[in-house]
Amino acid sequence: MEKEHLNIDLEKERKEILNAFRGLLRTHKRRTKEDTRMIRKAFDVSVEAHKEMRRKSGEPYIYHPIAVARICAEEMGLGTTAIVCALLHDTVEDTHITLDDVEDLFGPKVRLIIDGLTKIPEVFDESASVQAENFRKMVLTISDDIRVVLIKLADRLHNMRTLESMRHDKQIKIASETKFLYAPLAHRLGLYSIKSELEDLAFRYTEPEIYADIKKKLKSTEDVRNRFIRKFTQPIKDALLHEGYVFKIKVRTKSISSIWKKMKTKGIPFEEVYDIFAIRIILDTPVELEKPDAWRVYSIVTDFYQPSPDRLRDWISTPRANGYESLHTTVMSPTGKWVEVQIRSVRMDEIAEKGLAAHYRYKESKTSESKFDRWISEIRDLMENPDSNAMDFINDFKLNLFSDEIYIFTPKGDLRVLPTGATILDFAYDIHTDIGDKCIGAKVNNRLVPLSYQLISGDQVEIITSSKQKPNEEWTRFVVTARAKQKIKSSLNEERKNIAQDGREILERKFKQHNIRFISENITMLEKFYKISTATELYYRIAKGKIDLAKLRELENKNGILQSDKPEVKKPKKTKDVFSQIDGKKDTILIGDDFKDIEYTMASCCDPLPGDKVFGFVTISEGIKIHRYSCPNAEHLMSKMAYRCIKATWKNSDLRENVAKITVHGIDRLGIVNRLTEIISNQHNVNMKSISFETNDGIFEGNMTVLVYDTEHLEQLMRKFEQVEGVQRVVRKSHEEKSF
Ligand code: MN
């Protein structure tokens, strides 16, 4: 050891350190002379203070503060103060430099940050309460200066990058802590790439075999993947260039730990993880055009590839709490592979990559900074509450950090990750289908709780089963995971089919009594008569005694065949008196005509289309607004302000595209979404502006905004939708809002 040390060429080493420092300076571009002077001073102080120290790897200690400062500048976009503090971050704790020295040399602000950093130990103590106390200190400093936490994260990231030279047991301890405390913290602050890197580095030490295996698989599939990506992006690139966009296309490969997470939660091998990579399209566009451009690009992408609308995520209209903005869609490639495409602006990308600091830089533009402020103030409230002790605090805080995940322990201490809101049943099904099906309750931290009990991070759960137990309808309301839902449903379906079989036999006997033939026409007749959508459902309800078969007599029976009713005569719509008031007026606006002096616009509450029965309403400051007669606001306007309403008719030559909103209700069925979008894309001349789908307990609701020419055009489309299997109702929508 001694000998090696003597052999080090100190002069060469000094040069290398200076080079590393210059590298740091280059990453901080927008600096003044004064900034450079301050950073240089911090560097000199730090070099001098650490001059006798070496890291475990044998290299001079100063490389560490330089690297941490570089992460702050390059990867977080932080400025001079943070760089100065990062260079000094270990001096007070490990060298003769005192906080007073720091204040004398660099001022009170730097002192405050170094003080905050010094209070956070490198590795937390074994006992949980001490750990909580330390973590509390760390977060407390958020309210003083967020840079404390950011520099601490940079420090941790560099330590993780150089963890190799540590002792094995220390590696494991630091890695677990990184996974448990720091990665979620980075996530919460919106530092996505740092979060993924921390997770991957931690994973590499906690699960070395799995890590190596996935890494190898990623490497061996790389060529095929790259070829696929080139082919996939080429038409999009061409189209974007043709449209004159300035853009970059990046490929983002999923982190190793996320791939593993997916394999584990879905129970699938590496080969079946469909979103190993995502395509990211980054547009160079001014803030005010970000949203329309993103949707325009969405439309270009989906011109080439069919999107899966239930995987559409619009975080541009409603950014996530940590400020993340992006438009995500998943589309089908020609080879039948799902590909995630993320569309965002340069600004959004920078916020996503560098998090908070980038946020501050774009302060003037509309960001969800207020949401972040709210989060900070929630934490502050928590800490200022005198009733909460340190352990409560860390529990509350953890809940906050893992806002979308909870960590649950098995009786043997194995960790399971579940989404927030998960219950005993979710946990049981997560372990095994049989355990889920037979679950009657559980012991949580040794206390008996029911099936519906919602789990909290840190709970230790022992499931109690009974061989007599079986799933029932109510269970679906107790679970949040897709896996549990699907398992319960398939159990119930099995059960339902058995019951339906009984119902079928009952109906067969009943038909015999009444001399009705047991044929499909008659069954369909009954479905209509009792307003039930499927035969199985009909049989099931009969078996359950929910259908009054005595009513069968009301149906006419000719030679064993039930007769359908005469077609229903539709009641003519009641014409309101108010309408006639307007019809009596003489003046009429001809919509589509270029009237020189009359300004009119379509009311946004009902989006009238050519062909709709409409009237005009004279507003105070926005000219005449055209409303539909069926507009939710029409009655009010015409009854209360008839004097301001005027007749309006369409001049029919005008073929412009108009906005219409449609809602589709139905039964959540596999493929229904695809059928609907297929119709839109095959229907001549229909353009989709936006689309969103929601399913809830097997019921499905789709909302779309389309561009059509007139009511006839729209009705054609709606009729097509009605024919899709599973669709029950298609309605044209008006807003409820009263803006006129
Ligand atoms: Mn350090």
Side-chain angles (χ1 to χ4, degrees):
M1 219 38 208
E2 192 81 353
K3 227 177 185 171
E4 269 176 38
H5 194 88
L6 285 175
N7 283 342
I8 294 169
D9 181 342
L10 288 175
E11 188 51 34
K12 191 174 156 231
E13 206 169 74
R14 209 183 56 85
K15 270 190 191 144
E16 278 166 5
I17 291 169
L18 268 175
N19 269 338
F21 175 67
R22 285 197 199 102
L24 161 68
L25 279 181
R26 273 196 297 277
T27 62
H28 181 34
K29 292 193 186 73
R30 295 160 294 118
R31 60 175 203 275
T32 62
K33 272 221 171 77
E34 177 59 19
D35 290 334
T36 312
R37 204 185 59 79
M38 283 288 276
I39 295 170
R40 178 76 208 201
K41 190 160 107 186
F43 170 69
D44 290 339
V45 169
S46 189
V47 168
E48 176 59 24
H50 291 298
K51 70 171 185 279
E52 303 295 340
M53 295 167 64
R54 282 180 186 268
R55 303 197 82 209
K56 286 256 157 55
S57 59
E59 65 176 11
Y61 194 85
I62 186 69
Y63 280 117
H64 170 64
I66 293 175
V68 174
R70 186 163 174 160
I71 292 169
C72 289
E74 197 170 25
E75 295 174 51
M76 295 174 170
L78 296 174
T80 303
T81 309
I83 294 171
V84 166
C85 293
L87 285 168
L88 298 170
H89 81 272
D90 280 331
T91 52
V92 172
E93 199 172 356
D94 300 340
T95 75
H96 60 274
I97 307 265
T98 64
L99 278 173
D100 288 337
D101 296 339
V102 170
E103 184 165 355
D104 286 347
L105 291 163
F106 302 96
K109 184 91 230 171
V110 173
R111 179 202 173 115
L112 197 81
I113 295 172
I114 301 291
D115 189 24
L117 284 164
T118 308
K119 281 182 188 139
I120 308 163
E122 202 49 59
V123 180
F124 289 122
D125 237 282
E126 299 295 331
S127 100
S129 66
V130 175
Q131 182 175 319
E133 195 52 57
N134 283 326
F135 205 65
R136 177 190 173 119
K137 266 190 217 152
M138 166 167 164
V139 180
L140 249 168
T141 53
I142 285 183
S143 40
D144 290 337
D145 200 308
I146 187 82
R147 280 172 290 201
V148 174
V149 180
L150 293 172
I151 296 167
K152 187 66 206 171
L153 276 170
D155 184 22
R156 175 54 61 119
L157 180 58
H158 186 243
N159 285 336
M160 285 300 295
R161 281 176 182 169
T162 53
L163 198 57
E164 206 134 355
S165 41
M166 283 282 188
R167 236 174 41 216
H168 182 67
D169 60 327
K170 265 220 162 168
Q171 284 178 344
I172 300 292
K173 174 134 187 59
I174 293 175
S176 328
E177 203 179 87
T178 299
K179 180 181 160 194
F180 198 58
L181 294 177
Y182 289 93
L185 189 60
H187 179 67
R188 206 65 182 81
L189 293 173
L191 297 155
Y192 280 92
S193 35
I194 289 179
K195 173 226 167 201
S196 319
E197 194 182 342
L198 285 174
E199 274 179 352
D200 267 13
L201 287 166
F203 189 52
R204 187 176 143 194
Y205 290 97
T206 53
E207 302 275 8
E209 287 94 17
I210 303 172
Y211 179 88
D213 186 47
I214 296 177
K215 195 174 172 160
K216 205 177 83 200
K217 282 182 172 145
L218 269 178
K219 188 85 201 130
S220 70
T221 51
E222 201 178 3
D223 285 346
V224 179
R225 200 160 49 241
N226 285 342
R227 229 172 303 138
F228 173 87
I229 290 165
R230 265 199 304 279
K231 223 171 145 192
F232 178 88
T233 51
Q234 197 55 52
I236 300 175
K237 263 185 200 160
D238 293 344
L240 290 177
L241 281 173
H242 182 76
E243 300 262 330
Y245 281 106
V246 182
F247 65 96
K248 245 195 304 197
I249 294 186
K250 277 205 256 182
V251 179
R252 196 187 170 284
T253 311
K254 213 180 182 61
S255 70
I256 292 176
S257 54
S258 316
I259 292 174
W260 172 238
K261 217 184 266 172
K262 193 124 203 180
M263 288 165 66
K264 229 172 31 175
T265 50
K266 297 247 158 115
I268 50 175
F270 174 85
E271 291 70 25
E272 282 170 35
V273 179
Y274 76 91
D275 53 353
I276 292 278
F277 63 88
I279 305 287
R280 188 174 290 168
I281 303 173
I282 301 161
L283 299 168
D284 194 349
T285 187
V287 169
E288 63 277 11
L289 288 179
E290 282 176 339
K291 192 172 170 179
D293 278 352
W295 281 101
R296 177 80 195 111
V297 172
Y298 169 84
S299 142
I300 290 171
V301 170
T302 53
D303 278 348
F304 292 106
Y305 307 112
Q306 186 70 48
S308 162
D310 48 355
R311 297 210 195 113
L312 177 63
R313 299 285 177 274
D314 176 6
W315 283 308
I316 293 181
S317 306
T318 36
R320 300 176 103 174
N322 60 15
Y324 184 79
E325 290 172 82
S326 192
L327 183 63
H328 292 190
T329 177
T330 300
V331 299
M332 180 62 89
S333 73
T335 50
K337 194 174 152 49
W338 288 112
V339 177
E340 181 174 309
V341 180
Q342 309 176 343
I343 305 161
R344 53 173 73 159
S345 67
V346 174
R347 178 190 67 86
M348 294 171 187
D349 191 53
E350 196 162 336
I351 288 173
E353 294 292 324
K354 293 185 179 166
L356 196 70
H359 245 289
Y360 284 123
R361 198 170 322 139
Y362 289 104
K363 205 164 184 169
E364 292 79 11
S365 62
K366 50 133 205 170
T367 63
S368 56
E369 205 172 336
S370 57
K371 279 190 193 159
F372 185 81
D373 288 342
R374 200 159 56 219
W375 178 68
I376 297 276
S377 80
E378 266 169 33
I379 290 174
R380 211 176 289 149
D381 287 349
L382 268 175
M383 287 182 302
E384 280 161 6
N385 183 354
D387 296 334
S388 72
N389 65 31
M391 205 55 211
D392 281 346
F393 166 72
I394 198 160
N395 284 333
D396 291 344
F397 184 69
K398 259 192 283 182
L399 203 69
N400 230 321
L401 280 179
F402 304 105
S403 59
D404 31 16
E405 283 181 346
I406 53 173
Y407 292 71
I408 306 299
F409 296 94
T410 66
K412 283 183 184 157
D414 291 338
L415 190 72
R416 298 239 163 197
V417 184
L418 289 168
T420 303
T423 61
I424 295 296
L425 261 184
D426 284 305
F427 180 76
Y429 276 106
D430 188 55
I431 294 172
H432 198 279
T433 309
D434 286 343
I435 297 189
D437 281 347
K438 301 282 169 227
C439 178
I440 53 169
K443 273 189 198 164
V444 170
N445 310 326
N446 283 321
R447 199 163 53 86
L448 219 59
V449 298
L451 290 173
S452 56
Y453 175 85
Q454 271 196 9
L455 295 165
I456 299 164
S457 250
D459 277 348
Q460 188 159 39
V461 183
E462 186 187 343
I463 296 292
I464 305 166
T465 58
S466 156
S467 60
K468 294 203 181 70
Q469 179 71 305
K470 59 183 180 191
N472 66 50
E473 204 76 53
E474 227 189 352
W475 282 22
T476 52
R477 291 198 286 115
F478 296 158
V479 295
V480 296
T481 55
R483 181 188 158 84
K485 267 204 182 114
Q486 184 236 323
K487 295 288 176 197
I488 294 170
K489 270 190 194 153
S490 70
S491 282
L492 288 174
N493 276 340
E494 206 44 51
E495 172 103 6
R496 223 177 159 77
K497 268 189 216 149
N498 291 336
I499 296 172
Q501 190 54 40
D502 296 343
R504 189 190 149 104
E505 282 159 22
I506 295 171
L507 186 66
E508 244 183 302
R509 281 200 297 276
K510 196 81 189 170
F511 269 19
K512 224 174 213 158
Q513 279 172 27
H514 290 274
N515 290 321
I516 303 169
R517 286 161 63 194
F518 198 75
I519 51 171
S520 66
E521 283 99 317
N522 283 342
I523 307 296
T524 315
M525 219 25 249
L526 275 201
E527 286 169 29
K528 270 196 199 142
F529 181 68
Y530 288 109
K531 296 192 175 61
I532 288 167
S533 55
T534 67
T536 316
E537 180 67 22
L538 179 76
Y539 299 148
Y540 178 81
R541 292 208 198 176
I542 290 170
K544 285 273 176 183
K546 283 181 184 162
I547 276 180
D548 182 10
L549 285 176
K551 271 190 164 178
L552 265 181
R553 281 189 217 105
E554 291 173 22
L555 283 166
E556 205 184 336
N557 175 4
K558 267 190 200 154
N559 304 324
I561 297 180
L562 298 170
Q563 303 302 306
S564 77
D565 281 340
K566 279 149 212 121
E568 250 182 69
V569 185
K570 274 196 181 153
K571 284 181 222 148
K573 252 197 182 165
K574 220 180 17 180
T575 328
K576 295 253 157 47
D577 280 346
V578 283
F579 289 171
S580 58
Q581 279 187 40
I582 292 160
D583 285 342
K585 289 192 181 182
K586 273 188 198 132
D587 292 331
T588 301
I589 326 178
L590 205 53
I591 306 167
D593 233 351
D594 287 322
F595 272 127
K596 282 184 192 72
D597 301 321
I598 300 179
E599 212 189 297
Y600 65 83
T601 46
M602 298 300 148
S604 61
C605 49
C606 55
D607 297 320
L609 292 181
D612 277 333
K613 210 161 172 349
V614 288
F615 68 96
F617 180 76
V618 186
T619 65
I620 309 276
S621 57
E622 296 175 77
I624 294 168
K625 290 249 167 131
I626 308 296
H627 289 266
R628 272 151 63 186
Y629 267 39
S630 57
C631 172
N633 299 321
E635 210 187 310
H636 171 78
L637 295 178
M638 291 200 263
S639 58
K640 294 284 181 333
M641 286 171 278
Y643 62 97
R644 281 164 64 184
C645 296
I646 44 177
K647 270 206 284 191
T649 51
W650 300 92
K651 192 186 167 207
N652 48 23
S653 63
D654 196 23
L655 262 194
R656 273 185 315 131
E657 283 192 323
N658 295 284
V659 177
K661 297 191 180 76
I662 309 174
T663 304
V664 179
H665 298 271
I667 299 162
D668 180 18
R669 207 177 265 216
L670 209 68
I672 194 167
V673 167
N674 274 337
R675 275 295 298 139
L676 293 176
T677 43
E678 232 172 72
I679 289 173
I680 295 181
S681 50
N682 293 340
Q683 183 85 342
H684 195 52
N685 283 335
V686 175
N687 269 316
M688 182 165 63
K689 269 192 83 186
S690 74
I691 185 164
S692 70
F693 288 91
E694 244 181 62
T695 55
N696 204 341
D697 282 344
I699 303 300
F700 149 103
E701 192 187 274
N703 286 298
M704 323 173 210
T705 308
V706 291
L707 290 169
V708 291
Y709 292 124
D710 52 28
T711 39
E712 206 190 329
H713 194 196
L714 178 65
E715 267 157 24
Q716 254 176 26
L717 182 68
M718 289 170 65
R719 274 197 296 275
K720 285 247 164 78
F721 282 160
E722 276 163 359
Q723 283 158 15
V724 173
E725 207 191 7
V727 167
Q728 289 180 329
R729 211 150 46 89
V730 181
V731 247
R732 180 167 168 205
K733 225 170 69 175
S734 297
H735 305 291
E736 298 301 327
E737 68 197 28
K738 301 219 162 170
S739 59
F740 30 78

